[in-house]
Amino acid sequence: MAGQAQVAGQGASPAQLGEGLVNGLDGFLERTRQFAIRAEQLDASAAPGADAAAQTAPTRMADAQLEKVAESLSRMFDHAIETQMVVRGATQISGAANTLLRGQ
């Protein structure tokens, strides 16, 4: 957003700045959509085998499986942090806009 404000110059309107912000969120929205699709696929594949998994004894995970689990956890963590940043950023921008509109 700050980079957009510098490029836009002094005469940038709030609409132009808002449009730049929304365009910058496209990557986040696409990653969120892919994350949701992947979670739905995992839920669908895990549901039928849940009973069978409860009946089998636990076994040691292969290194490749462990790496996949670690990668998935890392992606979940990154997604959670990014979501938190987007939400807090929107809250900060909203508060700043309200302050400017009040003239304080």
Side-chain angles (χ1 to χ4, degrees):
M1 184 68 177
Q4 179 70 21
Q6 288 177 345
V7 170
Q10 292 291 336
S13 71
Q16 290 172 325
L17 295 176
E19 182 180 353
L21 178 64
V22 170
N23 289 338
L25 289 176
D26 286 343
F28 170 74
L29 297 176
E30 179 63 26
R31 286 188 299 279
T32 300
R33 187 182 67 77
Q34 289 175 355
F35 189 80
I37 290 171
R38 186 173 178 195
E40 288 174 2
Q41 290 172 347
L42 289 174
D43 284 344
S45 66
D51 295 332
Q55 296 174 356
T56 61
T59 59
R60 184 171 181 215
M61 293 177 67
D63 288 341
Q65 289 176 321
L66 190 57
E67 286 179 21
K68 189 173 182 179
V69 168
E71 182 182 338
S72 293
L73 289 173
S74 176
R75 284 184 183 177
M76 287 175 54
F77 180 77
D78 290 347
H79 179 71
I81 294 298
E82 186 176 16
T83 300
Q84 189 176 32
M85 290 174 65
V86 168
V87 169
R88 286 186 178 179
T91 302
Q92 290 291 326
I93 289 172
S94 175
N98 284 335
T99 300
L100 288 173
L101 291 174
R102 286 188 208 131
Q104 296 176 351

